[in-house]
Amino acid sequence: MSRRKLSGVMAAVAVVLAPLGALAADEDVLKKIDALSREIEQLKAQVRANEAKAAKGEADSKALAQRAQDRSLARWLTIGGDYRFRIDHLRGETRPFTDVAATFANAQNLLQRDFFGNPTGVSSFFGAPQAGGMSTAGALSGLMAFAQGMNGVRTYDQALGFLGTPQNAGMAQGIGAFAVPVPAYKPKNDTLYTNRLRLDLHAKATQDVSVTTRLAMYKTFGAQDDAAVTNGGAAPFFADRVGVFDGTLGHVPSSGEVAVDRAYGTWSNIGGRDMWFSVGRRPATNGAPSNLKLNEPRPGNGGTPSLLVDYAFDGMTLGYAPDIDGLPGAYGKICYGRGFESGFRNTPANSIQDTDMLGIALVPIDTDKLRVWAQWNRGMHIFDAPKMKGTYFGDTAPRADLGDIDWFGIGAMSTLKKVGPGNLNLFADVALSVTHPNQNVSAQFGFQGLLTGGFLSPEAPSRKRGNAIAVGMRYDLPSRTKIGLEYNRGSKNWITFAPAADDILTAKAGTRGNVYEAYLIQELDSKPISSFMSKAFFKLGFVYYDFKYTGSNNWVGAPVRISDMNGQFSALAPLKKAYDIYGTFEVKF
């Protein structure tokens, strides 16, 4: 075959076989595509598995993180508090009086000395015929019988009967021979230093249930007692500063011991409503409007008006905050507290009743701009003296319940923004007290009753009304400077329940007279660290007391005009006027 023919045949064969070769190539490609698709699906499945595993790992990590967060202290426990250093420069002026406690101690000492010097002789004090010609032994035993008989007197009628006997009448008159007169003097303390530390703990126990606690220490520099504020060694000036007792622990300077100032549990959102129940040692101190001077936020629905109550009560509260469009922040609550637990009653050694407090608070408006409150309290079976150790009068305890007291108060505080360069805070508070004395008198205080009578001069029980007002302002400047002015006035028969007030000399809320106070607060321009409420500041203040009647912050005995005091028997030294210049360095964390 020729070369040309062979080439033609091969070309023809190539034309015939070409589709077969293409078909074989297509099959290889399809196989490769199919294999590649399977690999891609496997890769996708692996990716999905890895994503699912990663998602599960992330969910597990989030769950672990959430569980760790739920168990962390920051989730359920809040810790805060404050520290304060304070310096006070105190001055005062008293009126002349006869010291009751010193007089009885003097009588006992002189009669004992007379007896031991001449056991069978005639009394140097009661030996005259007109005094009955008593012997030294008879005079001493007569004084002891008189004191013992006094302790057995419970009522006004019994007091009249006791003093009506010739022997007791003579002894009462004869006590004057042992009188310890105290001329007018000017007490002063140039530098009283105090340290106060308070630690606040708030624990969320379960949903809607929490526990709040405050521990407090309030110590006088260089002392482990309260002598610096109680006029230690001499007659105290005021009943709320005779000594430290249950309701004033941590609020009156004394020792370095740490006391439980507050400890209460709260159940909120009861029944899905804005209702709460709280029980324990209550936040019944430093209420509105005293928070302005203390440079603290408003106390919320746990506080009480400071003009009526400033006392660390043990008790309970039931509150409700209705949702009323026209009354933003409105709430009401019923409060109960126990001021004294008498223990077993109707026993041979105890017949005194418990001292309780019942209150109703209505706050129709509570916003940043305006807060309005109305309060009624009743103190029932008011004791004559709280339990105190080592006072000028020895160890005291309630020995008589003198009756009941009603308190009524209404007040408001407001914040006006952008008044000049700063903000202006204003408040006004008015109150009324009404006593309901029973027939009981206090034997340990010379037969005085609830705002009735004088020492060894009992008075028939009668209702007494008193009133008080408190007004003030604080101007807050952009420089963190705050300037405050306050004024208090209490009438002759005004009585409050505020022995835990943050005043060194006496609670100005219970003063029978006028009190003027001015202060300046300068906060440091420091960034908060421990909490957004943290701050540090200095405060400088001046308080002037102008007393018009005796017995400020004391419900035992009838008040006497200060200007009329000129040597009369008194258990307390009557201050005419006083002032306190103070400065503080405070840190809230």
Side-chain angles (χ1 to χ4, degrees), residues 527-579:
K527 182 180 179 180
I529 295 179
S530 59
S531 75
F532 73 95
M533 296 294 292
S534 298
K535 56 187 172 183
F537 59 91
F538 292 91
K539 180 163 63 173
L540 180 64
F542 174 80
V543 189
Y544 177 76
Y545 294 84
D546 175 24
F547 299 101
K548 298 300 184 183
Y549 294 90
T550 63
S552 294
N553 289 296
N554 184 20
W555 53 70
V556 180
V560 177
R561 186 179 292 275
I562 288 289
S563 58
D564 293 339
M565 285 295 296
N566 191 24
Q568 297 97 316
F569 276 113
S570 178
L572 302 172
L575 269 184
K576 175 183 177 182
K577 59 184 178 181
Y579 69 81

Short mmCIF file of all heavy atoms in Angstrom, two decimals, residues 527-579:
data_model
loop_
_atom_site.label_atom_id
_atom_site.label_comp_id
_atom_site.label_asym_id
_atom_site.label_seq_id
_atom_site.Cartn_x
_atom_site.Cartn_y
_atom_site.Cartn_z
N LYS A 527 -11.17 59.47 91.78
CA LYS A 527 -11.97 58.50 91.07
C LYS A 527 -12.37 57.35 92.00
O LYS A 527 -11.52 56.77 92.68
CB LYS A 527 -11.18 57.94 89.88
CG LYS A 527 -11.95 56.93 89.04
CD LYS A 527 -11.10 56.43 87.87
CE LYS A 527 -11.88 55.39 87.05
NZ LYS A 527 -11.06 54.89 85.92
N PRO A 528 -13.66 56.99 92.05
CA PRO A 528 -14.09 55.87 92.89
C PRO A 528 -13.48 54.56 92.41
O PRO A 528 -13.32 54.34 91.21
CB PRO A 528 -15.62 55.86 92.72
CG PRO A 528 -15.96 57.20 92.18
CD PRO A 528 -14.80 57.65 91.37
N ILE A 529 -13.13 53.69 93.35
CA ILE A 529 -12.57 52.39 93.01
C ILE A 529 -13.40 51.26 93.60
O ILE A 529 -13.83 50.36 92.87
CB ILE A 529 -11.11 52.29 93.51
CG1 ILE A 529 -10.22 53.30 92.75
CG2 ILE A 529 -10.56 50.87 93.32
CD1 ILE A 529 -8.78 53.30 93.19
N SER A 530 -13.63 51.27 94.90
CA SER A 530 -14.33 50.16 95.54
C SER A 530 -15.78 50.05 95.08
O SER A 530 -16.32 48.95 94.97
CB SER A 530 -14.26 50.28 97.05
OG SER A 530 -14.84 51.49 97.50
N SER A 531 -16.44 51.19 94.83
CA SER A 531 -17.81 51.21 94.31
C SER A 531 -18.06 52.59 93.74
O SER A 531 -17.31 53.53 93.99
CB SER A 531 -18.83 50.89 95.41
OG SER A 531 -19.00 52.00 96.28
N PHE A 532 -19.14 52.72 92.95
CA PHE A 532 -19.43 54.01 92.34
C PHE A 532 -19.85 55.04 93.39
O PHE A 532 -19.86 56.24 93.11
CB PHE A 532 -20.51 53.86 91.27
CG PHE A 532 -21.89 53.62 91.80
CD1 PHE A 532 -22.77 54.68 91.99
CD2 PHE A 532 -22.32 52.34 92.11
CE1 PHE A 532 -24.05 54.45 92.48
CE2 PHE A 532 -23.59 52.11 92.62
CZ PHE A 532 -24.45 53.17 92.79
N MET A 533 -20.20 54.58 94.61
CA MET A 533 -20.59 55.49 95.69
C MET A 533 -19.40 55.91 96.55
O MET A 533 -19.55 56.71 97.46
CB MET A 533 -21.64 54.82 96.57
CG MET A 533 -22.96 54.51 95.87
SD MET A 533 -23.82 56.01 95.38
CE MET A 533 -24.25 56.68 96.98
N SER A 534 -18.23 55.37 96.28
CA SER A 534 -17.06 55.66 97.11
C SER A 534 -16.67 57.13 96.99
O SER A 534 -16.72 57.72 95.91
CB SER A 534 -15.89 54.78 96.70
OG SER A 534 -16.20 53.42 96.88
N LYS A 535 -16.25 57.69 98.13
CA LYS A 535 -15.79 59.07 98.14
C LYS A 535 -15.07 59.36 99.44
O LYS A 535 -15.20 58.62 100.44
CB LYS A 535 -16.96 60.05 97.97
CG LYS A 535 -18.07 59.91 99.01
CD LYS A 535 -19.25 60.80 98.66
CE LYS A 535 -20.43 60.54 99.57
NZ LYS A 535 -21.61 61.35 99.19
N ALA A 536 -14.30 60.43 99.42
CA ALA A 536 -13.60 60.90 100.62
C ALA A 536 -13.81 62.40 100.72
O ALA A 536 -13.83 63.10 99.69
CB ALA A 536 -12.12 60.55 100.54
N PHE A 537 -13.97 62.90 101.94
CA PHE A 537 -14.23 64.32 102.10
C PHE A 537 -13.84 64.80 103.49
O PHE A 537 -13.70 64.01 104.44
CB PHE A 537 -15.70 64.66 101.83
CG PHE A 537 -16.68 63.94 102.72
CD1 PHE A 537 -17.10 64.50 103.92
CD2 PHE A 537 -17.21 62.71 102.35
CE1 PHE A 537 -18.02 63.86 104.73
CE2 PHE A 537 -18.13 62.05 103.16
CZ PHE A 537 -18.53 62.62 104.35
N PHE A 538 -13.66 66.11 103.58
CA PHE A 538 -13.47 66.80 104.85
C PHE A 538 -14.75 67.58 105.17
O PHE A 538 -15.45 68.03 104.26
CB PHE A 538 -12.29 67.77 104.78
CG PHE A 538 -10.95 67.09 104.65
CD1 PHE A 538 -10.41 66.82 103.41
CD2 PHE A 538 -10.24 66.73 105.79
CE1 PHE A 538 -9.18 66.21 103.29
CE2 PHE A 538 -9.01 66.11 105.68
CZ PHE A 538 -8.47 65.84 104.42
N LYS A 539 -15.01 67.74 106.47
CA LYS A 539 -16.18 68.54 106.88
C LYS A 539 -15.79 69.41 108.07
O LYS A 539 -15.12 68.94 109.00
CB LYS A 539 -17.36 67.64 107.24
CG LYS A 539 -18.60 68.44 107.68
CD LYS A 539 -19.88 67.59 107.64
CE LYS A 539 -19.86 66.44 108.59
NZ LYS A 539 -21.17 65.74 108.66
N LEU A 540 -16.23 70.64 108.03
CA LEU A 540 -16.03 71.57 109.13
C LEU A 540 -17.39 72.14 109.51
O LEU A 540 -18.14 72.59 108.64
CB LEU A 540 -15.09 72.70 108.71
CG LEU A 540 -14.79 73.77 109.77
CD1 LEU A 540 -14.04 73.17 110.95
CD2 LEU A 540 -13.99 74.92 109.16
N GLY A 541 -17.73 72.10 110.81
CA GLY A 541 -19.06 72.54 111.23
C GLY A 541 -19.06 73.27 112.56
O GLY A 541 -18.10 73.19 113.35
N PHE A 542 -20.16 73.97 112.80
CA PHE A 542 -20.36 74.72 114.05
C PHE A 542 -21.81 74.54 114.48
O PHE A 542 -22.74 74.74 113.69
CB PHE A 542 -20.06 76.20 113.84
CG PHE A 542 -20.37 77.06 115.04
CD1 PHE A 542 -19.49 77.13 116.10
CD2 PHE A 542 -21.55 77.79 115.11
CE1 PHE A 542 -19.77 77.92 117.21
CE2 PHE A 542 -21.85 78.58 116.20
CZ PHE A 542 -20.95 78.64 117.27
N VAL A 543 -22.02 74.13 115.75
CA VAL A 543 -23.36 73.95 116.31
C VAL A 543 -23.48 74.81 117.56
O VAL A 543 -22.61 74.74 118.45
CB VAL A 543 -23.64 72.48 116.68
CG1 VAL A 543 -25.11 72.29 117.05
CG2 VAL A 543 -23.26 71.54 115.55
N TYR A 544 -24.55 75.57 117.64
CA TYR A 544 -24.80 76.40 118.82
C TYR A 544 -26.15 76.02 119.42
O TYR A 544 -27.18 76.02 118.73
CB TYR A 544 -24.80 77.88 118.46
CG TYR A 544 -25.11 78.77 119.65
CD1 TYR A 544 -24.16 79.01 120.63
CD2 TYR A 544 -26.38 79.34 119.79
CE1 TYR A 544 -24.43 79.82 121.72
CE2 TYR A 544 -26.67 80.15 120.88
CZ TYR A 544 -25.70 80.38 121.85
OH TYR A 544 -25.98 81.17 122.94
N TYR A 545 -26.15 75.66 120.71
CA TYR A 545 -27.36 75.29 121.45
C TYR A 545 -27.78 76.44 122.36
O TYR A 545 -26.98 76.92 123.16
CB TYR A 545 -27.12 74.06 122.32
CG TYR A 545 -26.84 72.76 121.60
CD1 TYR A 545 -25.56 72.44 121.16
CD2 TYR A 545 -27.86 71.83 121.38
CE1 TYR A 545 -25.29 71.24 120.54
CE2 TYR A 545 -27.60 70.62 120.76
CZ TYR A 545 -26.31 70.34 120.34
OH TYR A 545 -26.06 69.14 119.71
N ASP A 546 -29.03 76.82 122.27
CA ASP A 546 -29.61 77.83 123.15
C ASP A 546 -30.78 77.17 123.87
O ASP A 546 -31.90 77.12 123.37
CB ASP A 546 -30.07 79.03 122.32
CG ASP A 546 -30.79 80.07 123.16
OD1 ASP A 546 -30.56 80.11 124.38
OD2 ASP A 546 -31.62 80.83 122.59
N PHE A 547 -30.50 76.64 125.07
CA PHE A 547 -31.52 75.88 125.81
C PHE A 547 -32.47 76.82 126.55
O PHE A 547 -32.03 77.72 127.27
CB PHE A 547 -30.84 74.94 126.81
CG PHE A 547 -29.92 73.94 126.16
CD1 PHE A 547 -28.55 74.14 126.16
CD2 PHE A 547 -30.42 72.81 125.55
CE1 PHE A 547 -27.68 73.23 125.57
CE2 PHE A 547 -29.57 71.88 124.95
CZ PHE A 547 -28.20 72.10 124.96
N LYS A 548 -33.76 76.57 126.39
CA LYS A 548 -34.78 77.37 127.05
C LYS A 548 -35.37 76.65 128.26
O LYS A 548 -35.84 77.30 129.21
CB LYS A 548 -35.89 77.74 126.07
CG LYS A 548 -35.43 78.58 124.89
CD LYS A 548 -34.83 79.91 125.34
CE LYS A 548 -34.45 80.79 124.17
NZ LYS A 548 -33.80 82.06 124.60
N TYR A 549 -35.39 75.32 128.24
CA TYR A 549 -35.96 74.54 129.34
C TYR A 549 -35.03 73.37 129.64
O TYR A 549 -34.27 72.91 128.78
CB TYR A 549 -37.35 74.00 128.98
CG TYR A 549 -38.39 75.08 128.80
CD1 TYR A 549 -38.59 75.66 127.55
CD2 TYR A 549 -39.14 75.53 129.88
CE1 TYR A 549 -39.54 76.66 127.38
CE2 TYR A 549 -40.09 76.54 129.73
CZ TYR A 549 -40.28 77.10 128.47
OH TYR A 549 -41.20 78.10 128.31
N THR A 550 -35.11 72.87 130.85
CA THR A 550 -34.32 71.70 131.25
C THR A 550 -34.92 70.44 130.63
O THR A 550 -36.05 70.44 130.14
CB THR A 550 -34.31 71.55 132.77
OG1 THR A 550 -35.67 71.31 133.23
CG2 THR A 550 -33.77 72.79 133.45
N GLY A 551 -34.15 69.39 130.69
CA GLY A 551 -34.68 68.08 130.31
C GLY A 551 -34.70 67.78 128.83
O GLY A 551 -35.47 66.91 128.41
N SER A 552 -33.89 68.44 128.02
CA SER A 552 -33.83 68.08 126.60
C SER A 552 -33.51 66.60 126.46
O SER A 552 -32.62 66.07 127.13
CB SER A 552 -32.77 68.91 125.88
OG SER A 552 -33.11 70.28 125.85
N ASN A 553 -34.26 65.92 125.59
CA ASN A 553 -34.11 64.48 125.34
C ASN A 553 -34.37 63.63 126.58
O ASN A 553 -33.86 62.52 126.70
CB ASN A 553 -32.71 64.19 124.78
CG ASN A 553 -32.54 64.69 123.36
OD1 ASN A 553 -33.21 64.23 122.44
ND2 ASN A 553 -31.65 65.67 123.18
N ASN A 554 -35.20 64.15 127.50
CA ASN A 554 -35.53 63.40 128.72
C ASN A 554 -37.03 63.49 128.95
O ASN A 554 -37.61 64.58 128.93
CB ASN A 554 -34.78 63.99 129.91
CG ASN A 554 -34.99 63.21 131.19
OD1 ASN A 554 -35.38 62.03 131.15
ND2 ASN A 554 -34.75 63.84 132.32
N TRP A 555 -37.66 62.33 129.12
CA TRP A 555 -39.11 62.32 129.36
C TRP A 555 -39.47 62.13 130.84
O TRP A 555 -40.64 62.05 131.18
CB TRP A 555 -39.80 61.23 128.53
CG TRP A 555 -39.21 59.86 128.69
CD1 TRP A 555 -39.27 59.05 129.78
CD2 TRP A 555 -38.48 59.14 127.70
NE1 TRP A 555 -38.63 57.87 129.55
CE2 TRP A 555 -38.13 57.88 128.27
CE3 TRP A 555 -38.09 59.40 126.39
CZ2 TRP A 555 -37.41 56.92 127.57
CZ3 TRP A 555 -37.38 58.44 125.70
CH2 TRP A 555 -37.04 57.22 126.29
N VAL A 556 -38.47 62.05 131.71
CA VAL A 556 -38.72 61.86 133.15
C VAL A 556 -38.68 63.23 133.84
O VAL A 556 -37.65 63.90 133.86
CB VAL A 556 -37.69 60.92 133.77
CG1 VAL A 556 -37.98 60.74 135.27
CG2 VAL A 556 -37.70 59.57 133.08
N GLY A 557 -39.81 63.65 134.41
CA GLY A 557 -39.86 64.91 135.13
C GLY A 557 -40.33 66.07 134.28
O GLY A 557 -40.23 66.05 133.05
N ALA A 558 -40.86 67.09 134.95
CA ALA A 558 -41.38 68.27 134.25
C ALA A 558 -40.25 69.23 133.92
O ALA A 558 -39.36 69.48 134.74
CB ALA A 558 -42.42 68.96 135.13
N PRO A 559 -40.27 69.80 132.72
CA PRO A 559 -39.25 70.79 132.36
C PRO A 559 -39.37 72.05 133.21
O PRO A 559 -40.46 72.43 133.64
CB PRO A 559 -39.55 71.09 130.88
CG PRO A 559 -40.41 69.97 130.42
CD PRO A 559 -41.19 69.50 131.61
N VAL A 560 -38.23 72.69 133.43
CA VAL A 560 -38.18 73.95 134.17
C VAL A 560 -37.46 74.97 133.29
O VAL A 560 -36.47 74.64 132.63
CB VAL A 560 -37.43 73.78 135.50
CG1 VAL A 560 -37.30 75.12 136.23
CG2 VAL A 560 -38.12 72.75 136.38
N ARG A 561 -37.96 76.19 133.28
CA ARG A 561 -37.30 77.22 132.49
C ARG A 561 -35.87 77.39 132.99
O ARG A 561 -35.61 77.49 134.20
CB ARG A 561 -38.06 78.54 132.60
CG ARG A 561 -37.52 79.65 131.69
CD ARG A 561 -38.34 80.91 131.83
NE ARG A 561 -39.69 80.73 131.30
CZ ARG A 561 -40.03 80.89 130.01
NH1 ARG A 561 -39.09 81.23 129.13
NH2 ARG A 561 -41.27 80.72 129.62
N ILE A 562 -34.94 77.39 132.05
CA ILE A 562 -33.52 77.46 132.40
C ILE A 562 -33.21 78.69 133.26
O ILE A 562 -32.46 78.62 134.24
CB ILE A 562 -32.66 77.48 131.13
CG1 ILE A 562 -32.67 76.10 130.46
CG2 ILE A 562 -31.23 77.90 131.43
CD1 ILE A 562 -31.91 75.04 131.21
N SER A 563 -33.81 79.80 132.93
CA SER A 563 -33.55 81.03 133.69
C SER A 563 -34.05 80.95 135.12
O SER A 563 -33.61 81.72 135.98
CB SER A 563 -34.19 82.23 132.98
OG SER A 563 -35.59 82.04 132.82
N ASP A 564 -34.97 80.00 135.41
CA ASP A 564 -35.49 79.84 136.77
C ASP A 564 -34.65 78.88 137.60
O ASP A 564 -34.88 78.75 138.81
CB ASP A 564 -36.94 79.34 136.73
CG ASP A 564 -37.90 80.38 136.16
OD1 ASP A 564 -37.55 81.57 136.17
OD2 ASP A 564 -38.99 79.99 135.68
N MET A 565 -33.72 78.20 136.99
CA MET A 565 -32.87 77.27 137.73
C MET A 565 -31.87 78.05 138.57
O MET A 565 -31.03 78.78 138.04
CB MET A 565 -32.14 76.33 136.78
CG MET A 565 -33.01 75.24 136.19
SD MET A 565 -33.64 74.07 137.43
CE MET A 565 -32.15 73.31 138.02
N ASN A 566 -31.97 77.87 139.88
CA ASN A 566 -31.07 78.62 140.77
C ASN A 566 -30.85 77.83 142.06
O ASN A 566 -31.14 78.29 143.16
CB ASN A 566 -31.64 80.00 141.07
CG ASN A 566 -30.64 80.91 141.75
OD1 ASN A 566 -29.43 80.73 141.62
ND2 ASN A 566 -31.13 81.89 142.51
N GLY A 567 -30.35 76.60 141.87
CA GLY A 567 -30.02 75.80 143.03
C GLY A 567 -31.00 74.68 143.33
O GLY A 567 -30.82 73.97 144.33
N GLN A 568 -32.03 74.47 142.52
CA GLN A 568 -32.99 73.40 142.78
C GLN A 568 -32.33 72.03 142.61
O GLN A 568 -31.31 71.87 141.95
CB GLN A 568 -34.18 73.51 141.82
CG GLN A 568 -35.00 74.77 141.97
CD GLN A 568 -34.61 75.83 140.97
OE1 GLN A 568 -33.42 76.07 140.74
NE2 GLN A 568 -35.60 76.47 140.38
N PHE A 569 -32.96 71.03 143.24
CA PHE A 569 -32.51 69.65 143.07
C PHE A 569 -32.63 69.24 141.60
O PHE A 569 -33.65 69.50 140.95
CB PHE A 569 -33.35 68.69 143.93
CG PHE A 569 -32.87 68.58 145.35
CD1 PHE A 569 -33.66 69.06 146.39
CD2 PHE A 569 -31.65 67.99 145.65
CE1 PHE A 569 -33.23 68.96 147.70
CE2 PHE A 569 -31.21 67.88 146.96
CZ PHE A 569 -32.01 68.37 147.99
N SER A 570 -31.61 68.59 141.09
CA SER A 570 -31.65 68.08 139.73
C SER A 570 -30.67 66.92 139.61
O SER A 570 -29.57 66.97 140.18
CB SER A 570 -31.27 69.18 138.71
OG SER A 570 -31.28 68.66 137.40
N ALA A 571 -31.09 65.89 138.88
CA ALA A 571 -30.19 64.76 138.65
C ALA A 571 -29.20 65.07 137.53
O ALA A 571 -28.13 64.45 137.46
CB ALA A 571 -30.99 63.51 138.29
N LEU A 572 -29.54 66.03 136.66
CA LEU A 572 -28.69 66.39 135.53
C LEU A 572 -28.24 67.83 135.66
O LEU A 572 -28.99 68.68 136.15
CB LEU A 572 -29.46 66.20 134.22
CG LEU A 572 -29.99 64.80 133.93
CD1 LEU A 572 -30.90 64.82 132.70
CD2 LEU A 572 -28.85 63.80 133.73
N ALA A 573 -27.05 68.11 135.20
CA ALA A 573 -26.54 69.48 135.23
C ALA A 573 -27.21 70.29 134.13
O ALA A 573 -27.11 69.94 132.96
CB ALA A 573 -25.03 69.48 135.03
N PRO A 574 -27.92 71.37 134.51
CA PRO A 574 -28.68 72.14 133.50
C PRO A 574 -27.78 73.07 132.69
O PRO A 574 -27.24 74.05 133.21
CB PRO A 574 -29.67 72.92 134.34
CG PRO A 574 -29.00 73.08 135.67
CD PRO A 574 -28.15 71.88 135.87
N LEU A 575 -27.63 72.77 131.41
CA LEU A 575 -26.86 73.64 130.53
C LEU A 575 -27.74 74.78 130.03
O LEU A 575 -28.89 74.57 129.63
CB LEU A 575 -26.33 72.86 129.33
CG LEU A 575 -24.94 72.22 129.45
CD1 LEU A 575 -24.56 71.58 128.13
CD2 LEU A 575 -23.88 73.22 129.87
N LYS A 576 -27.19 75.97 130.06
CA LYS A 576 -27.89 77.14 129.55
C LYS A 576 -27.62 77.33 128.06
O LYS A 576 -28.53 77.62 127.28
CB LYS A 576 -27.45 78.38 130.33
CG LYS A 576 -28.02 79.69 129.81
CD LYS A 576 -27.47 80.87 130.59
CE LYS A 576 -27.99 82.20 130.04
NZ LYS A 576 -27.42 83.36 130.78
N LYS A 577 -26.38 77.14 127.68
CA LYS A 577 -25.99 77.25 126.28
C LYS A 577 -24.73 76.44 126.07
O LYS A 577 -24.00 76.12 127.02
CB LYS A 577 -25.78 78.70 125.86
CG LYS A 577 -24.71 79.43 126.66
CD LYS A 577 -24.62 80.88 126.24
CE LYS A 577 -23.57 81.64 127.08
NZ LYS A 577 -23.49 83.06 126.70
N ALA A 578 -24.46 76.11 124.83
CA ALA A 578 -23.27 75.35 124.50
C ALA A 578 -22.99 75.47 123.02
O ALA A 578 -23.89 75.79 122.23
CB ALA A 578 -23.44 73.88 124.89
N TYR A 579 -21.74 75.22 122.66
CA TYR A 579 -21.43 75.16 121.24
C TYR A 579 -20.38 74.09 120.99
O TYR A 579 -19.64 73.68 121.87
CB TYR A 579 -20.99 76.52 120.69
CG TYR A 579 -19.66 77.03 121.16
CD1 TYR A 579 -18.46 76.59 120.58
CD2 TYR A 579 -19.57 77.99 122.17
CE1 TYR A 579 -17.23 77.07 120.99
CE2 TYR A 579 -18.33 78.49 122.58
CZ TYR A 579 -17.18 78.02 121.99
OH TYR A 579 -15.97 78.49 122.40
#
